[in-house]
Amino acid sequence: MWNLSDLESAALAKASESLLFDDLYDFVLMRWPERIDTSHREYVDFDKMHGTIRGLYDIEESGSELFWPFEISNLLVHLSYALYTVVHKICLMQDVVVLREINRDFVRYWFEDRTIWYMLEPDETKIPVGLRGNLHAIFDEELIKQYYFKNG
């Protein structure tokens, strides 16, 4: 199991107990660097808002792997991926991203409305084809329901 500092242990306990977005986000931010140099763009298509930033995926992947020992890991992994998505979009526009300066509401939107909502979507046609039929393997339905209950 991953060794947590006292500060990280306290943040994890708070996030696990409350399941509130801000508490989960504060813990996820502890696994990311404070700032990311994004000047290493290998490809950018501004019209489509796509691009490749060398090393960014590795940061997200290495952080997410460390969440798996925890009971709320499913939320933490998907929140980390939402943060990765937001950082990736910002990286296309600027050379340095300071994570604490990112608008939390934008990350929350990507987490709730573009990631975990798939689990609760009754209309399967709104779910990307690659995810259909795999939702229970990807998402913890009960944990997501608890999250939405506590976050309104």
Side-chain angles (χ1 to χ4, degrees), residues 59-68 76-78 80-81:
I59 292 171
E60 193 280 328
E61 187 70 15
S62 65
S64 287
E65 288 176 4
L66 298 174
F67 295 136
W68 286 115
L76 298 173
V77 167
H78 291 295
S80 184
Y81 183 76

Side-chain angles (χ1 to χ4, degrees), residues 30 32-33 36 44 48 63 65 71 79-81 121 127 140:
M30 291 178 171
W32 281 71
I36 300 172
V44 176
K48 294 181 181 177
E65 288 176 4
E71 288 185 34
L79 180 51
S80 184
Y81 183 76
E121 176 56 55
I127 299 170
D140 181 333

Side-chain angles (χ1 to χ4, degrees), residues 7 29 48 50 60 63 68 79 82 102 108 132 142 148:
L7 182 63
L29 279 178
K48 294 181 181 177
H50 289 278
E60 193 280 328
W68 286 115
L79 180 51
I102 294 174
R108 187 173 184 164
R132 294 178 195 168
E142 284 307 311
Y148 276 114

Side-chain angles (χ1 to χ4, degrees), residues 21 24-33 36 56 59-60 64 67 76-91 97-104 106-108 110-111 115:
F21 174 82
L24 295 164
Y25 187 62
D26 287 341
F27 181 69
V28 166
L29 279 178
M30 291 178 171
R31 292 303 318 137
W32 281 71
I36 300 172
L56 183 59
I59 292 171
E60 193 280 328
S64 287
F67 295 136
L76 298 173
V77 167
H78 291 295
L79 180 51
S80 184
Y81 183 76
L83 178 59
Y84 160 80
T85 302
V86 169
V87 169
H88 188 266
K89 292 187 176 307
I90 295 169
C91 290
V97 176
V98 178
L99 274 77
R100 294 258 176 218
E101 294 176 0
I102 294 174
N103 183 310
R104 284 176 178 247
F106 192 48
V107 176
R108 187 173 184 164
W110 276 94
F111 176 57
T115 305

